[in-house]
Amino acid sequence: MSSYAKLPDAGGHFGPYGGKFVPETLMSPLEELDRAYRQARRDESFEEELQDVLRRFVGRPTPLYQARRLSQQVGARVYFKREDLCHTGAHKINNAVGQALLAQRMGKSRIIAETGAGQHGVATAAACAWLGLECEVYMGTEDMRRQALNVYRMELFGATVTPVDAGSRTLKDAINEAMRDWVSNVEDTHYLLGSVLGAHPYPVMVRDFQSVIGREARRQVLETEGRLPDALSACVGGGSNSIGLFHAFLDDQEVVMVGVEAGGRGGDLGDHAARFQGGSLGVLHGTRSYLLHDELGQVALTHSVSAGLDYPSVGPEHAYLHDQKRILYTSADDEEALEAFHAVCRLEGILPALESSHAVADLMRQESVALSAARRRSGRPEPIVIVNMSGRGDKDVETVRSFSE
């Protein structure tokens, strides 16, 4: 068994990261959720139902698509894992249907969620509509402004979208409000957290539901190329799409893995969300990880052109894998992400999410972290790289247009 397969421990720790740092009132609901999740994963009927839903409702497996013109431009064989073709337009639906099924199994009638870019909210609202569950989604007012289309999509699915006008009015503040709701309504309510964040068991549970991405990609690249890729690349906000792609390859030491954070407007605190390039140990939303905060320990404001990447902390498993140097982390700034967005549109006829554009931005650099590391390790001048196309960019068109004008 690899060192990675043993984690997290029973308390949800990835080395010094993770755990449960929550009010006493949430300890019992988290333990109930942990028991229910572990029982469900041992139940073949739950797994069969989940796989059926992923196939018939979500639309899995998603294709592994060779981006031929982008490949020519960057000097590599680039594949996109097309999570943008999932139902509702992003990988978020993989986790949403898994947790919604679990909540139904636990007898919960109400689902609450938080969302930043809106894709997790849309996925949760769709899953709740499908199962007939009441749904309320908390969303910062700044994110509601940037993602108005997704707000309307959630409402079409019957969800109540509750605005959060506090702090930076983004994902961090939406999570705060969702946790307050959960504390007051734990009897009938499940908190459907959208990333590999929060108190145990959320980081491992969300990772497991998203790891279908990497399992499929591994099988598909072996069928297509007859060998493993030289590198994997994905954007990292909270970290669910990236850990979903990476997890099936962690024991393949020949495969380079690169996570790309939001470099925003620049390197000053408050202008970016690059937790591994300015963050340090801290606790936020129930878990210990890398955190952007000031000298007084106050959580810092963040910025990114992408509403899905501006979270001030990062999933605890990412923090552990960073320290182990198993995953390399870099960042792309707003301008680089926008340039990559336009390049994917023009070269491939695909409208990528701004989140995913950050991963493409690294490939387009003269000194790409992913390509440079892959060439050094493999010795191949044109390495095979899989980029997780985590979502589609319809939601980002107005943002992109406003930056272009």
Side-chain angles (χ1 to χ4, degrees), residues 89-100:
H91 73 291
K92 293 292 186 181
I93 191 71
N94 303 320
N95 170 59
V97 296
Q99 285 198 51

Side-chain angles (χ1 to χ4, degrees), residues 8-13 18-20 30-31 34 197-204 286-287:
D9 65 17
H13 299 98
K20 282 187 278 194
L30 286 169
E31 290 168 0
D34 189 22
L197 301 168
H200 179 68
Y202 281 105
V204 65
T287 194

Side-chain angles (χ1 to χ4, degrees), residues 8-9 64 74 110 141 168 184 205 209 211 272 309 319 362 367:
D9 65 17
L64 187 68
V74 304
R110 178 173 178 261
T141 50
S168 58
S184 303
M205 184 170 62
F209 286 134
S211 63
H272 65 89
L309 297 184
D362 172 64
E367 295 295 330

Side-chain angles (χ1 to χ4, degrees), residues 3 14 102 133 140 145 157 178 191 194 208 220-221 262-263 269 275 296 300 307 317-318 336 341-342 345 372 393:
S3 59
F14 299 88
L102 184 63
L133 298 170
R145 182 191 64 79
F157 287 137
Y191 178 16
D208 290 352
Q220 290 167 325
V221 74
L269 191 65
R275 290 67 46 94
L296 299 177
E317 189 167 11
H318 280 283
E336 291 175 312
F341 177 95
H342 288 292
C345 290
S372 298

Side-chain angles (χ1 to χ4, degrees), residues 129-156:
W130 164 63
L131 287 173
L133 298 170
E134 181 183 351
C135 180
E136 182 168 0
V137 180
Y138 290 91
M139 191 170 187
T141 50
E142 171 62 13
D143 287 339
M144 291 180 72
R145 182 191 64 79
R146 292 191 287 185
Q147 300 295 338
L149 175 61
N150 275 340
V151 173
Y152 188 54
R153 292 172 73 197
M154 286 181 259
E155 292 172 343
L156 287 173

Side-chain angles (χ1 to χ4, degrees), residues 8 29-43 46-47 50 95 98-99 101-103 105-106 190 200-211 215:
L30 286 169
E31 290 168 0
E32 177 195 17
L33 178 61
D34 189 22
R35 285 193 301 273
Y37 174 64
R38 284 186 284 114
Q39 290 170 1
R41 296 316 299 253
R42 290 194 297 268
D43 186 339
F46 179 81
E47 187 63 24
L50 176 60
N95 170 59
Q99 285 198 51
L101 283 174
L102 184 63
R105 181 186 175 100
M106 295 171 67
H190 172 68
H200 179 68
Y202 281 105
V204 65
M205 184 170 62
V206 177
R207 178 200 73 191
D208 290 352
F209 286 134
Q210 293 293 2
S211 63
R215 292 197 302 274

Side-chain angles (χ1 to χ4, degrees), residues 133-276:
L133 298 170
E134 181 183 351
C135 180
E136 182 168 0
V137 180
Y138 290 91
M139 191 170 187
T141 50
E142 171 62 13
D143 287 339
M144 291 180 72
R145 182 191 64 79
R146 292 191 287 185
Q147 300 295 338
L149 175 61
N150 275 340
V151 173
Y152 188 54
R153 292 172 73 197
M154 286 181 259
E155 292 172 343
L156 287 173
F157 287 137
T160 299
V161 182
T162 300
V164 178
D165 197 24
S168 58
R169 297 171 292 147
T170 58
L171 179 61
K172 168 177 67 68
D173 312 291
I175 294 176
N176 289 339
E177 289 304 310
M179 292 188 74
R180 290 191 186 98
D181 183 318
W182 199 31
V183 168
S184 303
N185 299 288
V186 293
E187 291 301 319
D188 68 344
T189 298
H190 172 68
Y191 178 16
L192 204 160
L193 190 59
S195 194
V196 285
L197 301 168
H200 179 68
Y202 281 105
V204 65
M205 184 170 62
V206 177
R207 178 200 73 191
D208 290 352
F209 286 134
Q210 293 293 2
S211 63
V212 65
I213 302 170
R215 292 197 302 274
E216 283 180 10
R218 200 174 195 283
R219 184 181 70 247
Q220 290 167 325
V221 74
L222 286 172
E223 291 172 353
T224 304
E225 293 283 352
R227 67 177 180 87
L228 293 176
D230 300 298
L232 307 174
S233 180
C235 63
V236 182
S240 67
N241 93 86
S242 47
I243 208 72
L245 174 65
F246 296 159
H247 202 257
F249 297 87
L250 284 176
D251 288 334
D252 301 309
Q253 294 296 328
E254 70 271 32
V255 179
V256 172
M257 301 181 187
V258 176
V260 185
E261 299 184 290
R265 294 182 291 244
D268 293 340
L269 191 65
D271 282 343
H272 65 89
R275 290 67 46 94
F276 293 122

